[in-house]
Amino acid sequence: MSKSTCFKSIDVSYSQKGKTGGSNGYHHYNAHAGTSYGGVCNNKSCYCYRERITCKRGKGTFRPNEDEEDGEVVCPGCGHKFEIEELILYNCNVTIKFRYFGESNTQTKSHSPSGSDFVRVGKDKWGNTIWKYYSSLRIICK
């Protein structure tokens, strides 16, 4: 009998819409075309220390938990790994397929931000990251 996969990630059922433009006061917190992972740099020697940052992933198919494990989620200021606290979706069509741990049904969420719109996934309306446990999570960005 195989062991079920279980991992923690942001709750993709939470999303907020916003508009790009203007300065946000952070060195590397930007909405890039496609998918970006957002988080905080915890490297004390980095000029982005304790700042919100994004790691550009672009378009394609992504598994955030595997990207973290493979060391692909890094601060653009110093290259230090960080934990994904949100997805930023911009100028793309995204389908998120996921299965919460312990559930049998795969669910789907879709987002299509265009123009100056972006979608922030994984945080509530106050900016707090919401966590869930998954057995599967895949981002398809076109």
Side-chain angles (χ1 to χ4, degrees), residues 57-119:
R57 293 300 287 147
K59 297 181 180 180
T61 301
F62 309 107
R63 295 181 185 274
N65 61 307
E66 292 178 9
D67 288 348
E68 283 182 323
E69 287 174 16
D70 294 342
E72 295 181 33
V73 182
V74 297
C75 173
C78 67
H80 189 263
K81 295 178 190 177
F82 70 88
E83 181 177 45
I84 298 169
E85 296 181 4
E86 65 183 330
L87 298 176
I88 305 293
L89 310 174
Y90 176 64
N91 197 21
C92 57
N93 295 306
V94 175
T95 302
I96 304 172
K97 295 186 177 189
F98 61 100
R99 186 171 43 255
Y100 292 128
F101 184 73
E103 295 185 4
S104 58
N105 295 331
T106 298
Q107 299 180 53
T108 302
K109 294 279 184 188
S110 296
H111 303 281
S112 297
S114 61
S116 63
D117 296 337
F118 70 89
V119 175

Side-chain angles (χ1 to χ4, degrees), residues 16 36 64 120:
Q16 305 292 321
S36 297
R120 172 194 236 185

